[in-house]
Amino acid sequence: MKSYSETEAEKHFAVLDEQDVEPDEVVVSDASDSGEIKESPWVESEPEVFITSENSQTEEVGDENKSLIWTLLKQIRPGMDLSKVILPTFILEPRSFLEKLADYYYHADLLAEASLEPDPYNRIVKVVKFYLSGFYKKPKGLKKPYNPILGETFRCRWAHPDGSYTYYIAEQVSHHPPVSSLYVTNRKAGFNVAGTILAKSKYYGNSLSAIMNGTLTISLLDRGEKYVVTLPYASCKGIMIGTMTMELGGQ
């Protein structure tokens, strides 16, 4: 299988920008020896609906599923890695972890603002604003996305008012341990993001943690600046005793 460098990937996205393809159009390149990549259709998603009610993120566990939870808890031990445990479907989010990672870039237009900001202090404030914007979106209740299979890819794009597109592509590059690589780019707006994430989840009796080891490098191309960030861990407490709560932590 032919490997593609970051420069070749940029050329691929450059072709998409030049074609100015609408979401419902299909772009198909010849499967020739030149190494051209076949494109699948862009499918436009429904506009996101923001729910701001107090209980919008709360979900009650049905009586028929409570027995499954107790059966599951009997099979796991404190400190155990949950990536190796088969979980019941009602606590799984119906999408892949690769798609889940795309949530962090829903407001990528904030990076475009940072790239245009001339003042260094205000520029880093806008980068931090973009970073924090990725944590607002979460499923109802406590949900875990499906583990991607080795070689699985996911891609999407966001359209911006200035006519540019932010492209996202992610691939599962390792199955054990589960490692995901991603690349986000919008050259017209002057930024890209690249990183590799090793996802882990552990059970501690009355709580569990989802840990994402790795770094993301945010590049403001016109400024020649790079910002290296990490992702926080998510801790869910009160699984068996007390009120179930979730909080983010880390450095």
Side-chain angles (χ1 to χ4, degrees), residues 105-174:
Y105 308 98
Y106 193 88
H107 295 290
D109 54 302
L110 295 176
L111 278 181
E113 296 180 10
S115 181
L116 295 174
E117 176 58 53
D119 181 70
Y121 175 79
N122 291 330
R123 191 158 59 245
I124 194 172
V125 168
K126 291 181 182 296
V127 171
V128 173
K129 182 180 179 180
F130 157 75
Y131 176 81
L132 295 177
S133 72
F135 301 111
Y136 83 98
K137 191 175 181 181
K138 53 187 177 181
K140 188 175 182 180
L142 180 62
K143 300 289 186 180
K144 176 186 179 299
Y146 283 94
N147 295 329
I149 62 175
L150 181 63
E152 178 181 336
T153 61
F154 175 81
R155 66 177 189 137
C156 63
R157 71 178 185 180
W158 296 269
H160 302 298
D162 63 357
S164 68
Y165 290 98
T166 294
Y167 293 94
Y168 167 95
I169 185 167
E171 179 179 356
Q172 192 71 6
V173 296
S174 174

Side-chain angles (χ1 to χ4, degrees), residues 23-41:
D24 56 351
E25 291 183 358
V26 180
V27 182
V28 180
S29 59
D30 294 332
S32 61
D33 296 334
S34 62
E36 292 286 336
I37 303 174
K38 278 192 173 183
E39 300 292 341
S40 56

Side-chain angles (χ1 to χ4, degrees), residues 81-85 87-97 100 139-148 200-201 208 210:
D81 185 355
L82 295 183
S83 64
K84 301 178 181 179
V85 178
L87 300 175
T89 56
F90 73 90
I91 63 173
L92 293 174
E93 189 177 359
R95 57 177 180 161
S96 168
F97 179 68
K100 174 74 173 179
K140 188 175 182 180
L142 180 62
K143 300 289 186 180
K144 176 186 179 299
Y146 283 94
N147 295 329
K200 295 182 178 181
S201 54
L208 59 86

Side-chain angles (χ1 to χ4, degrees), residues 225-244:
E225 297 177 350
K226 294 182 182 292
Y227 301 83
V228 180
V229 300
T230 59
L231 293 176
Y233 66 82
S235 178
C236 181
K237 302 178 180 179
I239 296 176
M240 300 177 64
I241 302 173
T243 303
M244 186 178 294

Side-chain angles (χ1 to χ4, degrees), residues 56-96:
S56 62
Q57 300 297 330
T58 303
E59 184 177 40
E60 296 292 336
V61 177
D63 293 336
E64 68 278 8
N65 292 326
K66 290 181 179 179
S67 60
L68 293 176
I69 292 180
W70 282 109
T71 301
L72 174 65
L73 293 177
K74 292 176 183 178
Q75 297 175 359
I76 56 181
R77 306 180 305 276
M80 189 174 184
D81 185 355
L82 295 183
S83 64
K84 301 178 181 179
V85 178
I86 299 177
L87 300 175
T89 56
F90 73 90
I91 63 173
L92 293 174
E93 189 177 359
R95 57 177 180 161
S96 168

